[in-house]
Amino acid sequence: MLQPAVPDLMPALPEIVLAIGAMVLLMQGVFRRDDTTNLLTGLTIGLFIVALVLVLLVPGGTTMNGAFVMDEFARTMKVLIFGSAAIALSLGVDFVQREGYGRFELPILLMLATLGMSMMVSANTLIALYLGLELQALALYVTAAINRDSARAAEAGLKYFVLGALSSGMLLYGASLVYGFTGHTEFGAIAETLGTGGVPVGVVFGLVFMMAGFAFKISAVPFHMWTPDVYEGAPTPITAFFAAAPKIAAMALLVRVAIDAFEPATREWQQVLSFIAIASMVLGAFAAIGQNNIKRLMAYSSIGHMGFALVGLAAGTQAGVQGVVIYMAIYAAMTLGTFAIILSMRRTNGMVEDISELSGLARTNPTQAFFLAMLLFSLAGIPPLAGFFAKYFVFLAAIEAELYVLAVIGVLASVVGAVYYLRIIKIMYFDDPLEAFEPAAIELRTATLASGLFVVFFVLVAGPITAWAGRAAASLF
């Protein structure tokens, strides 16, 4: 009598824990009559930490007929995703209490989105890729509009959903073309077919459509339109979440698809990624200069930073992928620290978002002004802060791959982009002070301190982080 084969699910244990946890917490929220938001938020953060520890412990390998892979690259990116998700969720605890966002669905939706991100990083087939991507996207569409009483939040959620659906359609169409011309959905089989039979024109078209879908997910030009409106319209803790974990997951997925499935077509996707990188860096540098809302400024900043990260991937080498991993780790730390300070911008009449409200912060709260200045200098890429090393590794990989134009444009865009970061520092240190902000919550002060110290003393931990990223990149080659 034939016995059905039971797959070894150990490589997917962190995802299984998150999926079961989400269902259990959902039942808790539905059936308990009292407000459970704080309890569920705490349990969700705890589950993120459990998943992070499991990621470090579970064995590598593939499962589910090869659709799910756990290698060093997936392990590294999942650590970044779970860590960023836990920190971003903790940043919003005080905000949710003050603003009355007592909805238990919020932490559960963010857990489901994080589960989708984790599946994206381990996807080894086109179908697994799409399932992970949509699980993440559907949960994030809802969280963007979770403040139903705000017209701005509803508009942000609607724009995110409509444009996200368009990008998903493009990605799905591209995947269908790739399947049609190769006859495979598995990344390894696609690469083998392209390596032995050449790259048909139909696959190139499919690749371009898939890249368009990925560009939307990382908010790269020309599919960046949703980013400023969603960053501004969504509640600030949700914006902080959008700015970190989903960007890491989408970039990791793009790296895996480019290297694992389309390595024989490197010349073709190098051209596409080079264009996207240049357009993102230039637009991010110039469009942020005229912004007065700090969340919109961070949106354009993220567009530019995704362009810088793509410079590493465009190199198509192990050093380039290593640079992307380092860049995303540093970017997540800088962004979460900056959003911790943005969430601290509160006066007696509520939250403020205008950059002018930071006027004279150096005199009313010198510690906060110092750490914000360090984070902004780091985002600008000023040495010896962490942001400088992030750009150094991706530009170095581009130069080694003889992509000199890409590296030069990146350096020039970085110089231009420094203008709007320096403008904020000037407002904090040289303009007349306004009324002081209310004291920040302990979780915001802790996140600010941790990220500030990380960017200032990155040089002390650069060696282990570089080696860690190197092992992750080597697992793809």
Side-chain angles (χ1 to χ4, degrees), residues 285-334:
F286 284 96
I289 292 175
Q291 301 301 320
N292 294 317
N293 183 294
I294 195 163
K295 287 167 68 179
R296 288 187 74 86
L297 183 141
M298 289 302 293
Y300 284 107
S301 170
S302 79
I303 294 168
H305 279 285
M306 290 305 104
F308 290 121
L310 286 176
V311 170
L313 180 56
T317 61
Q318 183 175 325
V321 174
Q322 181 186 14
V324 173
V325 175
I326 295 171
Y327 200 103
M328 296 311 295
I330 294 174
Y331 170 75
M334 295 187 299

Side-chain angles (χ1 to χ4, degrees), residues 221 274-289 300 303-308 405-406 408-414 416-417 420:
V221 177
S274 296
F275 166 76
I276 293 175
I278 290 172
S280 300
M281 290 187 295
V282 172
L283 184 133
F286 284 96
I289 292 175
Y300 284 107
I303 294 168
H305 279 285
M306 290 305 104
F308 290 121
V405 175
L406 193 57
V408 169
I409 292 176
V411 172
L412 293 176
S414 186
V416 174
Y420 54 82

Side-chain angles (χ1 to χ4, degrees), residues 29-173:
V30 169
F31 291 109
R32 287 186 62 157
R33 292 179 181 274
D34 52 336
D35 181 15
T36 56
T37 305
N38 290 340
L39 172 65
L40 296 187
T41 300
L43 291 173
T44 303
I45 293 171
L47 280 171
F48 285 153
I49 295 171
V50 170
L52 190 153
V53 173
L54 288 175
V55 163
L56 296 173
L57 297 178
V58 296
T62 59
T63 183
M64 303 175 191
N65 292 324
F68 186 98
V69 61
M70 172 63 93
D71 53 14
E72 282 304 311
F73 179 75
R75 205 184 299 275
T76 303
M77 301 313 280
K78 286 181 186 182
V79 167
L80 294 178
I81 290 170
F82 292 144
S84 300
I87 295 170
L89 189 55
S90 67
L91 293 182
V93 172
D94 179 66
F95 181 92
V96 168
Q97 289 176 341
R98 285 174 179 263
E99 302 294 325
Y101 281 28
R103 300 193 177 96
F104 70 87
E105 298 93 338
L106 180 59
I108 297 169
L109 284 168
L110 293 181
M111 191 191 301
L112 290 173
T114 307
L115 172 62
M117 294 174 212
S118 185
M119 291 172 62
M120 287 162 59
V121 173
S122 282
N124 202 32
T125 70
L126 295 174
I127 296 172
L129 173 160
Y130 191 71
L131 289 175
L133 202 63
E134 286 307 291
L135 178 58
Q136 176 220 229
L138 289 172
L140 293 184
Y141 297 150
V142 181
T143 57
I146 199 154
N147 185 9
R148 291 169 294 188
D149 300 328
S150 167
R152 208 170 58 161
E155 180 187 351
L158 191 61
K159 281 184 179 175
Y160 194 25
F161 171 69
V162 172
L163 294 174
L166 176 65
S167 77
S168 293
M170 295 173 76
L171 192 148
L172 204 54
Y173 181 62

Side-chain angles (χ1 to χ4, degrees), residues 92 250 252 456:
V456 172

Side-chain angles (χ1 to χ4, degrees), residues 90-91 93-95 98 343-344 438-448:
S90 67
L91 293 182
V93 172
D94 179 66
F95 181 92
R98 285 174 179 263
L343 280 162
S344 306
E438 291 186 351
I442 181 67
E443 62 270 16
L444 298 179
R445 293 201 301 270
T446 304
T448 302

Side-chain angles (χ1 to χ4, degrees), residues 193-466:
T193 303
L194 298 180
T196 55
V199 183
V201 176
V203 171
V204 176
F205 272 99
L207 182 58
V208 170
F209 275 105
M210 290 185 68
M211 291 291 176
F214 293 135
F216 175 89
K217 301 303 178 189
I218 59 172
S219 61
V221 177
F223 302 98
H224 64 284
M225 300 80 75
W226 61 276
T227 316
D229 292 336
V230 172
Y231 269 47
E232 184 183 9
T236 307
I238 305 297
T239 307
F241 189 87
F242 283 172
K247 295 285 176 63
I248 297 171
M251 187 62 76
L253 178 61
L254 178 54
V255 170
R256 185 177 289 285
V257 171
I259 304 298
D260 275 3
F262 294 103
E263 191 275 334
T266 299
R267 195 172 62 85
E268 283 78 6
W269 58 253
Q270 257 186 339
Q271 298 172 29
V272 178
L273 287 185
S274 296
F275 166 76
I276 293 175
I278 290 172
S280 300
M281 290 187 295
V282 172
L283 184 133
F286 284 96
I289 292 175
Q291 301 301 320
N292 294 317
N293 183 294
I294 195 163
K295 287 167 68 179
R296 288 187 74 86
L297 183 141
M298 289 302 293
Y300 284 107
S301 170
S302 79
I303 294 168
H305 279 285
M306 290 305 104
F308 290 121
L310 286 176
V311 170
L313 180 56
T317 61
Q318 183 175 325
V321 174
Q322 181 186 14
V324 173
V325 175
I326 295 171
Y327 200 103
M328 296 311 295
I330 294 174
Y331 170 75
M334 295 187 299
T335 301
L336 288 171
T338 306
F339 269 99
I341 296 177
I342 293 173
L343 280 162
S344 306
M345 294 170 59
R346 173 185 291 278
R347 295 202 173 92
T348 51
N349 54 353
M351 298 289 297
V352 292
E353 296 178 0
D354 282 352
I355 292 172
S356 60
E357 300 290 344
L358 290 165
S359 180
L361 183 66
R363 275 176 270 181
T364 56
N365 192 334
T367 304
Q368 198 174 46
F370 171 77
F371 281 119
L372 180 55
M374 290 301 105
L375 288 166
L376 294 173
F377 275 133
S378 183
L379 284 166
I382 306 293
L385 302 175
F388 166 77
F389 291 98
K391 291 178 180 173
Y392 169 78
F393 283 110
V394 293
F395 290 158
L396 183 64
I399 291 170
E400 288 175 350
E402 300 184 351
L403 298 174
Y404 303 116
V405 175
L406 193 57
V408 169
I409 292 176
V411 172
L412 293 176
S414 186
V415 172
V416 174
V419 171
Y420 54 82
Y421 298 120
L422 295 175
R423 173 176 157 242
I424 299 175
I425 295 169
K426 173 258 176 190
I427 289 172
M428 288 194 300
Y429 279 88
F430 296 103
D431 286 6
D432 294 331
L434 299 176
E435 178 190 351
F437 295 134
E438 291 186 351
I442 181 67
E443 62 270 16
L444 298 179
R445 293 201 301 270
T446 304
T448 302
L449 179 65
S451 60
L453 292 177
F454 176 79
V455 301
V456 172
F457 296 108
F458 176 80
V459 68
L460 300 179
V461 295
I465 290 179
T466 304

